[in-house]
Amino acid sequence: MSEHPNLSKWAELAEKQMKGKSIDTLNWTTPEGIQVKPLYTAEDLEGMESVNTLPGMDPYVRGPMATMYAGRPWTIRQYAGFSTAKESNAFYHKALAAGQKGLSVAFDLATHRGYDSDHPRVSGDIGKAGVAIDSVEDMKILFDGIPLDKMSVSMTMNGAVIPILAGYIVAAEEQGVKHEQLAGTIQNDILKEYLTRNTYIYPPTPSMRIISDIMSFCSKNMPKYNTISISGYHMMEAGANSVLQTAFTLADGIEYVQAAIKSGMDVDAFAPRLSFFFGIGMNFFMDIAMLRAARFLWHRSMSKFNPKNVKSSMLRTHCQTSGWSLTEQDPYNNVIRTTMEAMTAVLGGTQSLHTNSFDEAIGLPTDFSARIARNTQIIVQEESQICHVIDPLGGSYYVESLTNSIIEEAQKIIDEIEGLGGMAKAIESGMPKMRIEESAARKQARIDQGLDVIVGVNKYKLKDEKIDFEVREVPSSVRDEQIARIKEIKATRDTAAVEKALNDLKAAAKGDGNLLEAALPAVRARATVGEISDAIEEAFGRFVATTRCISGAYSSEFEASNETINLIKERTNTFFEKQGRRPRLLVTKMGQDGHDRGFKVVASAYADLGFDVDISPMFQTPEEAAKMAIENDVHVVGASSLAAGHKSLIPALIEELKKAGGEDILVVAGGVIPPVDYDFLYEAGVQAVFGPGTPIPDSADKTLSLLEEKYLS
């Protein structure tokens, strides 16, 4: 292919318009390391394997279905769940009446981690970030009036996947719905939990057995049900760029395929029911290209297993707009961000989509914000006319070139993972987690310098900002309601039948019985989620991760002459000279929330700024965090909150510090904390609150000022 005849004339014209500056100054290197030029032409596509394909035909770059949205638009599937099953059920009925086409259930953190609501470790978590489910009775309430033989239901569950999926199956049975009529998806993607979200229960090896057992049971009994949704979303939210999200997500998928084949399953018995889940951020064209590249790479990867069914190598995906990109500052901007991300997912060819609500940087979505989020999709689907053309960006020089770049870069990482022995081995080595955390630290450093613009946060900031909309709050009485229901169930069930069913489940876990099949009698007998999880834990044990943080990534993004960073380093050095040790910070995350991006980035950045930093294990109780703070002789505890537990967990931490003689230790708080709660925390003894979007140098400056006032004044 020859060079475009007018390319040199264009270069002359461009440089003239730039007053003699080289057009090379317009080149951009993305966070993925991809070189982007200001102009692309047909010559850039020469020799690319991913170009000149058609929708519905391998390698599926232009979409898995031949007619895509021209035949049927994507499914509007909003992820929702909060408080009690009764409240969530009412919310689902409203959403379905307003145009939503499928359900996607969010469970609370206690449920994710296999704890009943009466467990002492989860007192601050019940109903806060999803719906509390303790037994099949809650599951029946959750789907009351919703015909499970007609409604597709997606459930985001990994750790406690056995009792939750069994509970859904039994709830359907008691509606009169047969197993083979059930349609939907269970996430069942445990590998990504060890990388990012951390809502695991058991160690990796037995958890892989759980996945294989679910695939096996559902392939025989629930042929319309998707047995796994291989998720990159939480990788993106934890800081992975688009290449890392693509590579690690597909590597997880390859590991699951190999595990299922190793267990004796034929690839065509389960692969057509595999689905994916990608996160969509604010890099518009990059994430369009990511979805196209992922379909190409999945087809290439699956071809190695010689499937006979074409659907076995066809990547189908759900997408969700980014929660991390939402800002507490100037929050109505989030409506625009979500709309752009929705367009990215659609132009990339998603099969279903969740759009986040604009207030999720502050709290749980309200009915008002959820309606806007849902209507965003309806308007794009029904007013934009976008559904009339299949893959409208196919053939775009830029999009096709980006697609090819992601294919090449992601394939390098997939090959590296294969060289380590697969994704499970790579996770054990720590490689994927450290890559994601490094990416997150670098991103935060670019934001803190203003190199990556976030409107309302580091540019075009409002002087006087007030939150003028409702913030949803889950009352503590939800836990009381759940505990009352647990007591009622235990008082009325057949205790002997429960014990037999749980003993049979333990035997299956210790032997080679199918765990999902073995859990069904326990659920029917009214065993709780916690009891079933505990029974499996007797055989498998409970996994405890090693918490580490990277060093140097945050500071390396700053120029050596950066005045703000150097001033903070000088002050930490002065503190060291006068106190004989550096300011020491314990960063802790209490409760069962496993999202650790902010907590890890803060730890890494503060260490780069000259603090001595300790990181607590995940899932601390206030008593455990206080004990660690005192034993490590820290000056300050930074408590990270994301899942609305701040009003119970942080005051409890302060009380535990006082009880144990650590009243001199300062407590600061950060994360998703509504501004309306700041005064409550100050009155409880918190010294500073750093909401979403707070630049790390600003929080470090404030923390240092508190320490200087206390120790150096």
Side-chain angles (χ1 to χ4, degrees), residues 214-234:
I214 289 171
M215 286 182 176
S216 177
F217 179 90
C218 293
S219 66
K220 294 173 185 172
N221 301 288
M222 298 162 63
K224 295 196 293 183
Y225 200 76
N226 298 319
T227 53
I228 191 167
S229 174
I230 304 153
S231 175
Y233 180 81
H234 297 100

Side-chain angles (χ1 to χ4, degrees), residues 374-396:
R374 184 171 56 251
N375 285 350
T376 299
Q377 291 196 58
I378 295 172
I379 289 167
V380 171
Q381 205 169 85
E382 300 194 19
E383 293 189 26
S384 72
Q385 312 304 322
I386 205 168
C387 293
H388 295 301
V389 176
I390 304 160
D391 187 30
L393 291 183
S396 157

